Amino acid sequence: MLMQNISKTLLFLLILVCGACELPPRTQEGTGQATNTQEAFRTATTPSAEEEYVMVTTAINLPLYVNHDQAAFKAWGEKKGVKTTILGPAEWDVPTQIATLEQVIPSRPAGLLINGTDPGIAQAIRKAVAAGIPTVVYDSEIPNSNRHCFIGSDWYEMGYLQGKRMAQLLKGKGKVAVMGILGMENMEAGFRGFLDAIKPFPGIEYLGKYDDKANVETAARIAADLISAHPDLAGMAGFDSNSGPGMALAVKEANRIGRIKLTTVDAEPEHLKLVQAGVIDYLVGQKRELFTALGAQFLYDMRHGTLQLSANDAKAGVVPIPRTVITGSIEIDKTNYVQFIQ
């Protein structure tokens, strides 16, 4: 009991230190009671109102996360009659996300839904799995994390779709650059997809990839520098939610709307308005609600043994949920953006 109290106190202090978690902090520990890692995740037969599923992310106030990932997660919890908690720092702060995970694990929630932000969180995820907590990573894969399931988009495909559309927009000729968060598993795959798509077009000159750190101002500054250094710049492609708005800002300020082609990921209201205005030419949206609604359901299924695939899944070493789920992409341009405006 003393250690439990210490753990709860440390978690509360962590949230205060973060100073960024605008959503309500956890007030009660989860009810998972795994006795060992072999029996691990199947710890209850019926759902309980005290059953707690915890999402740990970073940049917790990012509209993309709030409007899609978190909204779907909370709606799922209300429908199932279980508790959902969302924790993490306001900024893109991976060390604090890791510290949050380290504090949550001893409380043994019914399941952990972790935003795969950076390969550096792998060790904390392994600890959660070793502690017998059902664990799903979403958005970006974390190699060597031992997670039970990854659910997200095929970022190579998202990059390939952007590259293919960019080649069409440029008619196979011109200078292009890409930007996003360098080093992330998903975005690096996207960059590779983009390059593979433009390879058949020798008239397209690739200027390189740039780290905008998921920040609109940084993306705008990089785009402005590129426009200044390359007056004949023909196109830019973005790979995080703030790349597109940043690139659009620079193109508008340079009075180059329509002359510099822009493609990017995500389909938030700001992105859609920029498509409507003719500033951004093409979006590749993600089915983000599926990440957390399906991910939470997988955690629930593990905890309650919804499906049994052998006489004894734990002894057989069977995890009764998909290992990987790719949810697919949504292509948006001037022909269909109206369908996505709410």
Side-chain angles (χ1 to χ4, degrees), residues 11-251:
L11 178 58
F12 178 71
L13 289 173
L14 172 66
I15 292 168
L16 288 179
V17 169
C18 291
C21 309
E22 294 187 355
L23 295 172
R26 296 172 75 205
T27 55
Q28 189 170 349
E29 291 183 350
T31 54
Q33 296 175 1
T35 54
N36 60 63
T37 55
Q38 294 303 312
E39 291 296 332
F41 34 81
R42 185 171 178 173
T43 54
T45 55
T46 58
S48 161
E50 296 305 314
E51 198 169 303
E52 184 183 31
Y53 295 82
V54 179
M55 173 190 289
V56 180
T57 182
T58 190
I60 197 170
N61 298 319
L62 186 69
L64 177 72
Y65 294 167
V66 173
N67 297 332
H68 300 280
D69 310 5
Q70 296 172 19
F73 181 53
K74 288 190 285 189
W76 172 86
E78 291 171 3
K79 185 176 180 180
K80 299 296 285 189
V82 298
K83 183 185 297 183
T84 55
T85 302
I86 303 168
L87 298 174
E91 303 299 328
W92 189 268
D93 184 349
V94 173
T96 299
Q97 185 192 14
I98 294 171
T100 305
L101 274 171
E102 296 278 3
Q103 293 296 327
V104 169
I105 290 169
S107 70
R108 289 187 179 280
L112 266 174
L113 196 54
I114 302 171
N115 188 349
T117 53
D118 186 274
I121 68 175
Q123 184 176 1
I125 295 172
R126 288 197 295 271
K127 285 184 181 179
V129 173
I133 302 170
T135 302
V136 170
V137 171
Y138 70 93
D139 203 1
S140 181
E141 176 67 290
I142 302 298
N144 304 314
S145 66
N146 292 342
R147 85 289 183 281
H148 293 113
C149 172
F150 165 72
I151 181 167
S153 302
D154 181 339
W155 276 78
Y156 178 88
E157 177 193 67
M158 293 173 70
Y160 192 89
L161 288 171
Q162 284 202 70
K164 182 179 175 184
R165 181 60 66 96
M166 183 65 78
Q168 292 173 353
L169 290 166
L170 301 184
K171 296 181 172 56
K173 185 178 180 181
K175 293 181 178 178
V176 299
V178 301
M179 66 180 70
I181 305 172
L182 304 191
M184 283 188 68
E185 176 84 6
N186 56 356
M187 294 192 196
E188 293 293 342
F191 299 149
R192 290 195 298 274
F194 183 91
L195 279 174
D196 284 349
I198 63 173
K199 273 181 184 174
F201 303 93
I204 294 180
E205 181 181 350
Y206 178 64
L207 298 177
K209 58 184 180 181
Y210 297 84
D211 192 347
D212 65 19
K213 304 183 186 304
N215 181 280
V216 173
E217 290 74 22
T218 303
R221 177 183 54 75
I222 292 170
D225 289 346
L226 283 166
I227 293 169
S228 177
H230 302 278
D232 56 346
L233 182 69
M236 289 184 283
F239 285 84
D240 65 62
S241 188
N242 287 325
S243 301
M247 296 187 305
L249 182 62
V251 166

Side-chain angles (χ1 to χ4, degrees), residues 64 240-245 264-276 280 283:
L64 177 72
D240 65 62
S241 188
N242 287 325
S243 301
T264 191
V265 298
D266 295 329
E268 294 303 288
E270 185 174 10
H271 298 83
L272 295 169
K273 288 179 182 176
L274 288 165
V275 171
Q276 183 179 24
I280 291 179
L283 304 174

Side-chain angles (χ1 to χ4, degrees), residues 300-342:
Y300 182 95
D301 291 342
M302 288 181 69
R303 176 167 167 74
H304 294 286
T306 302
L307 293 174
Q308 189 167 328
L309 304 180
S310 68
N312 186 318
D313 286 348
K315 287 186 177 179
V318 174
V319 176
I321 62 172
R323 178 72 179 160
T324 301
V325 177
I326 301 300
T327 54
S329 303
I330 303 171
E331 297 184 79
I332 301 171
D333 57 20
K334 267 212 161 181
T335 66
N336 65 347
Y337 75 91
V338 173
Q339 305 303 323
F340 298 91
I341 294 177
Q342 299 180 355

